[in-house]
Amino acid sequence: TKLRVGLLFGGCSGEHEVSINSARAIAKALSAEQNASKYEILPFYIQKDGRWLAGNVSQQVLESGQPLQLPRSNPEPQENQLGSDSSQLSTADRLSFSRWQSPSQVAEVDVWFPILHGPNGEDGTVQGLLTLMQVPFVGSGVLGSAMGMDKIAMKMAFAQAGLPQVKYMAVNRSQIWSNPCVFPKLCDQIELNLGYPCFIKPANLGSSVGIAKARSRQELETALDNAASYDRRIIVEAGVIARELECAVLGNDQPQASVVGEITYSSDFYDYETKYTQGKADLVIPATVSDAVTRQIQEMALQAFAAIDAGGLARVDFFYVEATGEVLINEINTLPGFTATSMYPLLWAHSGVSFPELVDRLIQLALERRSTPE
Ligand code: ATP
Ligand code: MG
Ligand code: MG
Ligand code: MG
């Protein structure tokens, strides 16, 4: 009998659309010849408002690639939202979040494949829910997911592991918004410790959302205020001039590192627009760096993976300061972009693991982690 894979996608984060594309690529890989006899897909689409949809509605989102928002007051979908056969929609297709525990389709899942990027999916919240459901799932658990999402916690773990990184300061929203006397002092400290340019980031986001580069006091103040609108926790980092290299990790207790890839672009930094506009960035795989740098990055990627207690998969991002030969760790992503053109699966393809084989391995890793004694 086939293993029923609960593909969980969409979600309430700014990376909703990316998640749909990742899920489409994974669904295709699960239906590929070598996997089709092993796995059956049960799609669960999470709307932007957090409601879970199941059955043929999720399937249609998967097929169309278009986000869907069924109105809360009138859950009966409009004809034009779902196409001609929307009349077949049953109540079982609209699982409101408050009913998630009982629907039969959730109970049928043998293993979950959450492919949600950013907050409410990559950060340990959904992992906590799946842990409570006592069904194995792909990827990191609660701790690894939360540590990987919060850049302050992540950097503390990296520092503890002895991994080199840029200078940074952790900032709380209250230092920006609450007390008018504190804010100028905070900016003074940032100028003194980090200087310009510096990068201001909401601690718990992805896809460069809310990230700004500041070259002056004025830009710093604006960026801090803006970042505070995204998150209570904010991180400010010294800016470096560096090449951007990424490495993929796969495994549980004996993880493996992929070949190293490079991101190239001509914009100021790798911001949201550069990430998601066709042709604005290029992936170079393998990166043209020395074997020594490659090995150093692979080693650091595995150390970072262990430092935050990641599991299954992660993409680790680095800065290679060519002028000094220094390799600095930037961050780890525990549920990296997983579309057909995303760095994570492409790094594995160049390391000899095809996309269908990769999703198969990830599901087996989820089952393996579950079967180890608690
Ligand atoms: P992802 O989509 O990979 O999850 P993210 O939102 O977590 O991204 P970061 O990877 O921390 O964000 O930063 C996004 C980009 O901003 C980097 O790829 C890089 O181009 C630029 N950047 C971030 N921090 C620095 C820094 N300290 N110095 C120079 N450039 C930086
Ligand atoms: Mg990130
Ligand atoms: Mg990310
Ligand atoms: Mg990044």
Side-chain angles (χ1 to χ4, degrees), residues 96-300:
S96 76
F97 187 77
S98 57
R99 287 174 50 212
W100 72 265
Q101 6 185 8
S102 51
S104 55
Q105 286 156 311
V106 166
E108 283 166 19
V109 170
D110 296 315
V111 58
W112 287 97
F113 200 137
I115 190 67
L116 302 155
H117 310 303
N120 300 311
E122 191 175 349
D123 61 355
T125 51
V126 160
Q127 287 73 15
L129 182 65
L130 301 182
T131 303
L132 279 172
M133 285 156 74
Q134 298 190 312
V135 178
F137 57 91
V138 168
S140 299
V142 171
L143 179 65
S145 302
M147 293 278 288
M149 184 92 299
D150 187 284
K151 291 186 196 295
I152 299 170
M154 172 174 72
K155 282 191 186 289
M156 285 167 62
F158 290 167
Q160 188 65 30
L163 291 164
Q165 46 193 343
V166 296
K167 264 206 208 171
Y168 69 93
M169 283 172 62
V171 175
N172 194 281
R173 177 188 284 163
S174 64
Q175 294 171 273
I176 300 168
W177 280 357
S178 307
N179 188 334
C181 304
V182 173
F183 189 56
K185 285 182 193 149
L186 171 71
C187 294
D188 287 346
Q189 271 177 359
I190 292 170
E191 289 184 335
L192 195 68
N193 295 344
L194 309 176
Y196 296 114
C198 59
F199 281 78
I200 300 89
K201 312 178 180 181
N204 291 272
L205 271 177
S207 288
S208 301
V209 173
I211 297 184
K213 180 178 179 177
R215 302 159 202 78
S216 66
R217 178 77 167 218
Q218 162 104 67
E219 287 180 356
L220 173 63
E221 288 173 359
T222 307
L224 284 168
D225 184 60
N226 181 53
S229 70
Y230 286 96
D231 201 345
R232 280 174 41 249
R233 287 156 70 77
I234 292 135
I235 191 163
V236 186
E237 301 176 8
V240 285
I241 297 171
R243 288 168 67 182
E244 296 198 44
L245 304 177
E246 301 190 344
C247 183
V249 179
L250 175 66
N252 288 332
D253 295 330
Q254 272 96 43
Q256 289 177 296
S258 72
V259 299
V260 171
E262 178 166 15
I263 314 273
T264 60
Y265 50 85
S266 54
S267 51
D268 191 26
F269 71 95
Y270 196 31
D271 58 7
Y272 186 91
E273 201 196 332
T274 312
K275 279 178 186 174
Y276 298 114
T277 311
Q278 181 81 31
K280 288 220 170 187
D282 287 308
L283 310 188
V284 184
I285 309 173
T288 52
V289 294
S290 70
D291 289 350
V293 168
T294 297
R295 276 196 301 274
Q296 193 182 342
I297 281 173
Q298 288 169 330
E299 180 64 27
M300 284 169 69

Side-chain angles (χ1 to χ4, degrees), residues 151 205-206 331-333:
K151 291 186 196 295
L205 271 177
E331 62 146 355
I332 189 166
N333 291 284

